[in-house]
Amino acid sequence: MDSPTTMHIGTVAERTGLSLRTLRHYDEVGLLRPSARTEGGFRLYTERDVERLLLIRRMKPLGFSLEEMAGLLDVTDRLEAGDAEESLRATLQEYVASATERRADLARKLAMADELIERLATL
């Protein structure tokens, strides 16, 4: 069986739009550790790692904490692995509800910002 293709942190940063510092921080706090390291200690990421980082990136603007991000990663990992535990589905729905509420709050703030810009442009 072939091992998955890996990529270095710079490539992952480019693909995800996350900084090297952020990727290192996620590794240090245990949110998302790279799948492997080179003999020299360089981080190596897989395509699955990139997908998980993109999920994290989507949570960032909604103000989810690192703990909440880790919790959602755990839920999605378990669901994708075939765990059919009902509590996982319930937890996932809680994340959906929270994300929906947070998105609505951002939309309200964006509308206020648009009103301000429009008002200032007419002065």
Side-chain angles (χ1 to χ4, degrees), residues 5-24 26 32-36 43-54 56-57:
T5 303
T6 58
M7 56 199 103
H8 288 272
I9 193 170
T11 302
V12 173
E14 287 177 25
R15 291 209 31 215
T16 62
L18 297 169
S19 69
L20 298 175
R21 181 178 179 192
T22 296
L23 294 172
R24 288 183 188 113
Y26 289 167
L32 192 132
R33 298 198 186 279
S35 290
R43 293 167 176 88
L44 295 173
Y45 295 87
T46 63
E47 196 60 43
R48 182 170 186 275
D49 295 332
V50 170
E51 289 303 316
R52 295 176 86 226
L53 284 164
L54 290 172
I56 292 167
R57 189 190 74 191

Side-chain angles (χ1 to χ4, degrees), residues 22-34 52-53 56-57 59-60 64-74 77:
T22 296
L23 294 172
R24 288 183 188 113
H25 178 67
Y26 289 167
D27 180 13
E28 290 165 7
V29 299
L31 178 61
L32 192 132
R33 298 198 186 279
R52 295 176 86 226
L53 284 164
I56 292 167
R57 189 190 74 191
M59 294 181 77
K60 281 179 70 167
F64 283 95
S65 68
L66 292 176
E67 293 79 18
E68 290 169 318
M69 291 176 185
L72 182 58
L73 286 175
D74 179 59
D77 288 348

Side-chain angles (χ1 to χ4, degrees), residues 97-115:
S98 180
T100 301
E101 183 179 307
R102 292 170 190 227
R103 189 205 176 282
D105 184 53
L106 281 177
R108 284 189 294 277
K109 290 176 182 173
L110 183 58
M112 285 188 269
D114 289 343
E115 290 172 11

